Amino acid sequence: NAGVTQTPKFQVLKTGQSMTLQCAQDMNHEYMSWYRQDPGMGLRLIHYSVGAGITDQGEVPNGYNVSRSTTEDFPLRLLSAAPSQTSVYFCASSTIQGRNSPLHFGNGTRLTVT
Amino acid sequence: AQSVTQLGSHVSVSEGALVLLRCNYSSSVPPYLFWYVQYPNQGLQLLLKYTTGATLVKGINGFEAEFKKSETSFHLTKPSAHMSDAAEYFCAVSDGGSYIPTFGRGTSLIVHP
């Protein structure tokens, strides 16, 4: 009963480095999304997807890329990391079959950019 | 566009005292309302969700939320706080036109022994 799995749990990058945060879900959910959580800012939506091959921007997309080649996976790419991207990142998924379907969250990736 | 306001970034209560976390929303259509809880170093998990027609919604761990349409509120309560309730609580709302919820900024619940 895995749900939403995020890897890695922790990551330290130097400015300018690139990396991919992985997210996988085993619930056959159509909707997947990425949030960042910063103190006092709540959750801010980065990118989201409603199915394989379909992605769209959220509130804070700059500096991040996504793709959705399968229903299960939704990786988040940082092409050139900046200190402002130090944050905790959460992946979340849900079905879109009902408007009151809740989001299922992973346990997060804590990223530090030095 | 909808918005969610959670009054108080921090709420402090004594163990055994009433917990009240406030959430007000703005939505032009009947909303879908949720409360999530985040324990330290974990992701968010669903506490409860509003069901159309109900005014009082029961969730896990003894929490309840009351939907008041006239006040556009969905406040979360628990009669008696436990130390294990210490966590971050988020209110979220989506309307019929989108399945992308808008989150409040969260309220940190502190429980004193």
Side-chain angles (χ1 to χ4, degrees), chain A residues 31 35 37 40-43 45 48 50 90 96 99-103 105-108 110, chain B residues 32 34 36 38 41-44 46 49-50 90 94 96-101 103-105:
Chain A
Y31 178 79
Y35 290 87
Q37 184 179 26
M41 303 295 290
L43 291 167
L45 182 64
Y48 64 95
V50 298
F90 289 99
I96 60 173
R99 295 301 191 199
N100 66 341
S101 299
L103 287 172
F105 284 83
N107 282 328
R110 187 174 297 273
Chain B
Y32 296 93
F34 309 83
Y36 291 86
Q38 183 183 29
N41 300 314
Q42 293 186 24
L44 282 70
L46 182 69
K49 67 178 182 180
Y50 169 67
F90 291 90
S94 61
S98 172
Y99 33 73
I100 303 173
F103 283 87
R105 292 198 170 190

Side-chain angles (χ1 to χ4, degrees), chain B residues 33-98:
Chain B
L33 297 159
F34 309 83
W35 275 99
Y36 291 86
V37 60
Q38 183 183 29
Y39 298 105
N41 300 314
Q42 293 186 24
L44 282 70
Q45 60 186 87
L46 182 69
L47 201 56
L48 52 82
K49 67 178 182 180
Y50 169 67
T51 303
T52 303
T55 55
L56 189 64
V57 181
K58 293 186 184 297
I60 61 173
N61 301 335
F63 283 92
E64 296 179 339
E66 186 175 6
F67 173 65
K68 290 187 176 180
K69 183 178 179 180
S70 61
E71 298 178 7
T72 59
S73 68
F74 193 55
H75 300 332
L76 182 71
T77 62
K78 183 174 180 178
S80 176
H82 293 170
M83 296 295 291
S84 60
D85 294 327
E88 189 89 11
Y89 292 80
F90 291 90
C91 181
V93 60
S94 61
D95 62 33
S98 172

